[in-house]
Amino acid sequence: MVYTSEVEHMCPLAKATYHGPAPIPSEGKWVKVKEIKDVSGFTHGVGWCAPQQGACKLTLNVKDGIIEEALVETLGCSGMTHSAAMASEILIGKTLLEALNTDLVCDAINTAMRELFLQIVYGRTQSAFSEGGLSIGASLEDLGKGLRSQVGTIFATKAKGPRYLEMAEGYVEKVAVDADGAIIGYKFIHFGRMMDFIKKGDDPATAMDKSRGSYGRTTEEDGAVKLIDPRHE
């Protein structure tokens, strides 16, 4: 340790009482965090890339400073999905500090990791007041049937109005319109359910029919004048 001459000539004084760091809530306990291993928590965060072309929702389950579970969901960039595949292998087993200082391939995933780090070390996790935290695998509860991310995709123009393409329930195949031309409901195909039916032996046409559903008013009795294909009409 090298000291400047000014410090060398100072007389030593006693340090006042040391109270340590402020405690943070961590899985149902108040913890004074001094090392990464003192931190546990389950939380989500969102990151974006430099051109803001795509986004990443990252979910981590951290136990004693180690990332035990990671869910990486990406949107808007085809290359980001491949980066997510690599990040899922990189993240698990690392300490929070290692993950923060590791290139996770994609700007958006790196940014999401930064946001989660801040949440976790400041005790702002979703499991902050849950005794024992959440079980490994808890992130899968955020996914729909068939373990597919819930995605909303809506397109609209001033000239032609909105088009619902994908909703939480699934792929929108028909949009119901009333006499005024306003959307009053939609019919959808739940891809997660459809794939489950196919894996169980149903032919694709049967599986698709069994996976259809509707939301809102989609029949003539309910005021639907017509059903349109939002991708082609």
Side-chain angles (χ1 to χ4, degrees):
M1 189 77 69
V2 178
Y3 296 95
T4 64
S5 59
E6 289 85 356
V7 174
E8 287 283 3
H9 287 90
M10 291 179 181
C11 62
L13 297 176
K15 184 180 177 182
T17 303
Y18 174 65
H19 296 286
I24 65 169
S26 179
E27 298 193 338
K29 299 177 293 184
W30 289 99
V31 178
K32 289 190 174 183
V33 176
K34 297 181 180 180
E35 301 179 44
I36 285 295
K37 67 179 179 63
D38 297 331
V39 184
S40 296
F42 177 95
T43 198
H44 315 270
V46 177
W48 53 94
C49 58
Q52 299 187 26
Q53 176 182 348
C56 167
K57 176 192 172 188
L58 180 62
T59 306
L60 297 181
N61 200 346
V62 177
K63 302 292 185 183
D64 301 323
I66 304 293
I67 297 172
E68 298 287 349
E69 172 189 3
L71 173 63
V72 191
E73 300 174 84
T74 59
L75 175 72
C77 173
S78 57
M80 195 181 291
T81 62
H82 295 82
S83 298
M86 298 176 69
S88 68
E89 297 189 27
I90 294 170
L91 283 166
I92 50 176
K94 284 188 178 292
T95 68
L96 271 177
L97 194 57
E98 285 179 300
L100 182 67
N101 289 285
T102 297
D103 182 5
L104 299 175
V105 188
C106 165
D107 273 356
I109 305 174
N110 286 321
T111 302
M113 183 63 230
R114 180 195 70 197
E115 297 302 307
L116 262 69
F117 179 86
L118 293 173
Q119 289 180 28
I120 294 168
V121 298
Y122 283 115
R124 302 299 192 269
T125 67
Q126 293 203 355
S127 60
F129 298 101
S130 301
E131 187 174 354
L134 299 181
S135 302
I136 306 303
S139 66
L140 297 181
E141 294 180 8
D142 281 359
L143 303 180
K145 182 73 173 178
L147 299 185
R148 298 186 75 246
S149 296
Q150 297 188 63
V151 178
T153 307
I154 313 297
F155 173 73
T157 61
K158 180 181 177 182
K160 300 296 183 179
R163 295 294 187 278
Y164 297 178
L165 303 176
E166 184 117 5
M167 303 294 276
E169 298 88 351
Y171 175 95
V172 178
E173 58 173 346
K174 294 291 182 180
V175 171
V177 180
D178 67 10
D180 296 323
I183 295 174
I184 58 174
Y186 52 87
K187 293 189 174 184
F188 60 86
I189 301 171
H190 196 300
F191 279 167
R193 290 195 187 99
M194 186 177 76
M195 292 306 299
D196 284 345
F197 287 134
I198 291 174
K199 286 187 286 186
K200 290 177 181 177
D202 286 348
D203 65 88
T206 300
M208 182 180 292
D209 191 56
K210 290 167 68 174
S211 302
R212 283 191 165 98
S214 64
Y215 182 84
R217 296 181 286 146
T218 58
T219 65
E220 288 185 18
E221 292 77 11
D222 290 331
V225 173
K226 61 179 177 179
L227 296 172
I228 68 167
D229 183 336
R231 290 167 177 79
H232 300 290
E233 295 180 71

